[in-house]
Amino acid sequence: MRPEILFPLFAPVTSIRGVGARLAKPLERLAGPRVRDVLFLAPTALVKRRATTVREAHPGEVATLTLTIDHHQRPRRFGQPWRIRASDRSGGVNLIWFKGYGPHLETSNPPGSVRIVSGKIEPDAYGGGLQIIHPDYFLPPERAAEVRELEPVYPLTEGLTFRVLQRLVREALTRAPDLSEWIDPAFIAAQNWPTWKSSVEKLHAPTGEADIAPHAPHRRRLAFDELLAHQLALGGRKRRRRSEGGAAIGPSAVAERVRAALPFSLTGDQTRALAEVRADLGEGARMTRLLQGDVGSGKTVVAMLAMADVAAAGRQSALMAPTEILARQHFDTLAPPLRQAGVETVLLTGRDKGAGRRKKLELLSSGAAAVAVGTHALFQDEVAFANLALTVIDEQHRFGVNERARLQAKGEAAHFLAMSATPIPRTLELTLYGDLDVSRIRQKPPGRTPVDTRAAPMTRLGQVVERLRQAIDAGAQAYWICPLIEGSEDSDLAAAEARAAALKQTLGAERVGLIHGRLPAAEKDQAMADFAEGRTAVLVATTVVEVGMDVPAASIMVIEQAERFGLAQLHQLRGRVGRGAAASSCVLLYDHPLSDIASRRLDILRRTQDGFVIAEKDLELRGGGDPLGLRQSGFPDYRLADPIAHGDLVRAAADHARLILSRFPGLQGEGAAPARVLTGLFDWRPEGGEAG
Ligand code: ADP
Ligand code: MG
């Protein structure tokens, strides 16, 4: 329930004086439907209005002049503007109004009257003089104080002028209540931040460039508020989930047998991640954990051992992968060691039909099979589990919230383990996954040789293809990544289809496969399978190549127009090779000349193979905006916080939220009243956004 003190802020924008149906539309489009949304519309720049004289004013600047009206020049023909000639002692200027201004302009501003005029100075279209088109201010001298020397500039939308918006913001500000402080007194004192109300006021009344910058104290405070509200929502969700309780499952002899049967021993990071998962499982609280690690870092093995524990406890697990081929690969990895330890495992995908499918469904509903691996097929209505206690989701960002929820719903308060191969920087991890516990696997299993990474200009394409031919003659397999399919004529992006055709000519048609996003699923799977099973030597692909796809024999990765990819994306693409024992290589083809940033990016990639280091550097280089293209993947849409510029505040907000939630579980009680106001203010929906 929203605290009462916030009611005025959550009234519709039409409650702002001066906002009728006509203004409400553009205002809602720009800011949002409520008064609060108008308050949180942050100015993006400042205009300086220089008070000056006609002679001293230069074209391009925004100037405030004190002028006497000389005469009016009415439009002679339809479509001509209304012009006023006005002057001060130093010279004259034309004031121009297009349509909608009639004779009232003349009656209310007769020749001889003095007016304060402020607007952008432009050279007169007819040479020589100066003009102002649609002055921002055109006022009698007694209202001169309305023209402020510095004014905030807001993003605008059609139907709203900046003066109208400024007026509405000022109106909205009168609704801002004094709110009790939710930030820890010692912390806010150390930061020297203003109160919430003065911060919002200051947001809309900048007095210099420094006030517009993200590090301005009031801006940092508001950013912190938003981050804190979000962390409180995420943390609250996490606590609620845990309090639901889950089956208590201990480490098992079965898992030990599975582990002993593996031809390798776990890396330190795998052991630690497994211990964290086991601590969750053993606690009787419900696990919601994210296992993060590069492709090939061995996440699946960790999941498998947890599944073995679950099986030993007489319960079931399900592992869901985004594609048929990934599900199949997981099954091939998991089934033999699990079966050897007596754990029956079934694979369920869209391909299962008729009697075969019925048999598998029976194994799951009776509980005879303790582990299910599959695709979306796993959460169809006919699929029932006897006692599902753990769901594992691979490449979790590839599934929608509902899909995850539907699998979760197959079990009662089932433990949840997500796996992701997209390394993201810490600060972003907190904002994206603040409601999950995160285990990271950084170490690669031993014996992996680093991928020899080189950059080469497109002009060396011929040599690259020739070396590729030699390599595949010797039995190697290669991915060839193109940025776009069907490049249009005016696009310089290489088209995957054209590339595939060209490579078929040089390398032999039967040795080259093609996969792209517009292929039907069955054909995609077929192209993947042909490559995975060695029937094709080169797989030309758009970036759809499955992130988790494991073709250990593939040892060469060629990426065309590498400068167009994000660093993290390049790293993930490269991660598809270097998985077998053979020495691997990655060729980054680029169009000459390379920009400075692009060459630094390629350089970072050459120097390190650690996905987390790369993610941090990528963030640094990009500096802002939508790093890593995360906005599509559920990245929160902050209004006042910028997780990059305010990166240091993310962690502080998370710590703060933890503290508040531990003192006031569920934000209950009088002491948590300010925090409740804060979460109400930002309105992060406490539920939704994440499965389980
Ligand atoms: P991920 O799911 O993180 O992409 P996988 O769990 O599929 O990685 O592991 C990738 C490959 O590495 C698999 O073939 C797996 O058998 C192997 N592997 C996993 N852990 C180890 C280890 N500790 N030592 C050697 N090989 C390992
Ligand atoms: Mg994987």
Side-chain angles (χ1 to χ4, degrees):
M1 236 183 41
R2 178 173 298 135
E4 214 171 308
I5 192 165
L6 295 177
F7 286 0
L9 294 181
F10 281 80
V13 286
T14 46
S15 74
I16 299 174
R17 197 156 59 96
V19 180
R22 191 177 56 80
L23 278 182
K25 267 215 183 80
L27 193 56
E28 285 181 9
R29 198 164 51 230
L30 182 68
R34 303 177 185 284
V35 174
R36 182 266 326 251
D37 303 324
V38 177
L39 275 189
F40 285 171
L41 193 65
T44 50
L46 268 184
V47 250
K48 283 197 177 67
R49 295 185 181 278
R50 195 166 71 96
T52 183
T53 61
V54 175
R55 197 190 8 223
E56 300 284 316
H58 1 268
E61 81 168 323
V62 179
T64 303
L65 306 167
T66 305
L67 302 172
T68 306
I69 309 289
D70 299 326
H71 63 265
H72 286 251
Q73 185 184 325
R74 298 165 163 246
R76 275 183 225 116
R77 276 179 288 110
F78 179 77
Q80 277 188 332
W82 189 287
R83 298 165 157 273
I84 300 178
R85 182 68 186 178
S87 55
D88 61 15
R89 255 180 256 147
S90 73
V93 61
N94 291 318
L95 311 177
I96 295 175
W97 279 267
F98 288 92
K99 62 187 160 202
Y101 291 87
H104 74 271
L105 210 49
E106 187 161 8
T107 34
S108 48
N109 306 284
S113 51
V114 174
R115 292 291 175 264
I116 308 296
V117 182
S118 187
K120 178 133 178 245
I121 305 288
E122 295 177 35
D124 192 314
Y126 302 102
L130 296 176
Q131 66 180 24
I132 300 177
I133 300 176
H134 291 189
D136 302 325
Y137 293 91
F138 188 55
L139 303 168
E142 62 271 21
R143 288 175 62 191
E146 286 176 32
V147 185
R148 284 183 294 168
E149 202 182 339
L150 279 170
E151 277 181 337
V153 177
Y154 296 91
L156 284 181
T157 183
E158 205 180 322
L160 272 184
T161 65
F162 93 104
R163 268 194 75 196
V164 170
L165 191 58
Q166 279 179 4
R167 185 167 54 72
L168 299 182
V169 167
R170 245 174 278 145
E171 279 296 328
L173 272 174
T174 63
R175 311 292 180 81
D178 282 311
L179 300 175
S180 313
E181 190 54 70
W182 44 75
I183 302 178
D184 175 66
F187 184 71
I188 196 169
Q191 298 287 333
N192 208 1
W193 284 341
T195 64
W196 177 79
K197 188 169 175 191
S198 349
S199 297
V200 197
E201 283 167 353
K202 185 83 181 161
L203 181 69
H204 297 291
T207 54
E209 291 297 330
D211 287 345
I212 297 283
H215 57 255
H218 63 282
R219 289 223 171 195
R220 275 173 64 79
R221 193 240 141 90
L222 293 172
F224 182 82
D225 288 346
E226 183 165 40
L227 293 167
L228 177 58
H230 187 214
Q231 291 297 324
L232 282 169
L234 292 172
R237 194 190 299 165
K238 186 156 139 187
R239 279 175 169 263
R240 246 188 325 280
R241 266 206 224 102
R242 292 186 70 81
S243 69
E244 284 164 21
I249 288 160
S252 64
V254 176
E256 274 323 300
R257 283 209 296 283
V258 174
R259 192 209 292 247
L262 293 174
F264 49 78
S265 49
L266 298 188
T267 63
D269 280 357
Q270 283 173 315
T271 306
R272 196 168 35 74
L274 179 64
E276 286 165 357
V277 168
R278 282 182 160 165
D280 290 350
L281 292 178
E283 226 170 41
R286 189 164 159 217
M287 170 170 77
T288 30
R289 184 168 288 277
L290 174 69
L291 199 50
Q292 272 232 305
D294 269 348
V295 167
S297 59
K299 299 183 291 293
T300 314
V301 176
V302 174
M304 173 174 72
L305 295 169
M307 291 164 107
D309 285 340
V310 171
R315 308 288 302 260
Q316 291 172 298
S317 316
L319 187 160
M320 183 161 76
T323 66
E324 168 99 28
I325 186 132
L326 278 176
R328 214 165 271 287
Q329 284 185 352
H330 280 311
F331 182 75
D332 292 343
T333 313
L334 300 181
L338 285 172
R339 279 178 176 158
Q340 218 175 354
V343 178
E344 182 56 28
T345 303
V346 300
L347 174 69
L348 189 69
T349 72
R351 298 238 176 116
D352 291 299
K353 300 266 149 61
R357 179 164 186 268
R358 276 199 299 280
K359 178 83 200 358
K360 289 180 179 180
L361 294 188
E362 162 61 23
L363 287 171
L364 293 176
S365 63
S366 68
V371 172
V373 176
T375 55
H376 302 71
L378 280 176
F379 59 69
Q380 305 310 316
D381 288 340
E382 310 82 60
V383 184
F385 290 84
N387 53 18
L388 184 66
L390 168 65
T391 60
V392 182
I393 297 199
D394 192 23
E395 305 302 336
Q396 61 113 22
H397 58 277
R398 300 273 305 268
F399 291 96
V401 175
N402 290 337
E403 295 173 313
R404 281 178 268 168
R406 282 181 70 186
L407 183 59
Q408 280 293 93
K410 298 277 176 197
E412 209 171 302
H415 295 290
F416 177 67
L417 182 65
M419 304 197 284
S420 168
T422 309
I424 50 173
R426 279 272 185 212
T427 54
L428 297 185
E429 185 178 284
L430 281 168
T431 61
L432 263 178
Y433 302 125
D435 60 335
L436 302 177
D437 296 301
V438 180
S439 297
R440 284 185 163 201
I441 302 184
R442 295 187 76 132
Q443 267 172 328
K444 295 277 158 62
R448 302 269 167 88
T449 39
V451 181
D452 178 38
T453 305
R454 288 154 198 248
M458 257 322 244
T459 48
R460 301 236 318 263
L461 182 67
Q463 286 156 271
V464 171
V465 173
E466 178 50 29
R467 280 221 302 279
L468 181 62
R469 199 181 57 74
Q470 290 167 9
I472 66 175
D473 282 348
Q477 283 186 283
Y479 295 97
W480 187 296
I481 309 292
C482 306
L484 246 197
I485 177 168
E486 287 162 17
S488 61
E489 272 166 8
D490 54 357
S491 157
D492 56 357
L493 290 169
E497 280 178 338
R499 179 61 64 212
L503 288 175
K504 279 180 179 180
Q505 285 232 313
T506 344
L507 305 174
E510 69 295 338
R511 296 206 285 183
V512 179
L514 171 64
I515 184 167
H516 57 75
R518 287 184 222 165
L519 278 183
E523 284 177 45
K524 260 191 240 175
D525 283 353
Q526 189 57 49
M528 290 278 191
D530 285 344
F531 186 64
E533 286 150 34
R535 287 187 292 276
T536 49
V538 178
L539 184 60
V540 177
T542 51
T543 50
V544 296
V545 194
E546 299 312 334
V547 165
M549 184 166 164
D550 195 15
V551 182
S555 61
I556 300 169
M557 169 67 62
V558 182
I559 304 175
E560 256 186 83
Q561 296 194 332
E563 74 277 11
R564 300 193 172 219
F565 290 97
L567 200 42
Q569 208 177 4
L570 288 172
H571 170 68
Q572 284 205 317
L573 288 168
R574 177 175 64 177
R576 246 132 298 173
V577 297
R579 315 190 68 180
S584 303
S585 59
C586 174
V587 182
L588 305 168
L589 286 170
Y590 61 86
D591 273 340
H592 199 70
L594 216 46
S595 75
D596 180 43
I597 291 266
S599 82
R600 271 156 71 194
R601 278 214 226 132
L602 299 189
D603 218 48
I604 289 166
L605 210 63
R606 280 212 299 272
R607 286 202 312 261
T608 175
Q609 315 260 333
D610 182 329
F612 290 104
V613 171
I614 287 170
E616 301 281 354
K617 295 266 187 214
D618 197 16
L619 194 60
E620 265 170 45
L621 282 185
R622 286 168 186 242
D626 181 13
L628 326 180
L630 286 170
R631 210 138 275 166
Q632 295 88 5
S633 51
F635 193 66
D637 211 354
Y638 294 124
R639 301 154 190 261
L640 302 164
D642 173 347
I644 297 163
H646 302 126
D648 63 316
L649 296 180
V650 175
R651 164 131 314 188
D655 290 345
H656 228 82
R658 232 187 332 272
L659 208 71
I660 294 175
L661 286 167
S662 69
R663 284 181 62 196
F664 309 106
L667 295 186
Q668 298 297 315
E670 199 38 49
R676 286 199 297 275
V677 169
L678 173 68
T679 50
L681 186 59
F682 283 94
D683 214 19
W684 290 105
R685 256 156 304 152
E687 299 301 333
E690 188 60 50

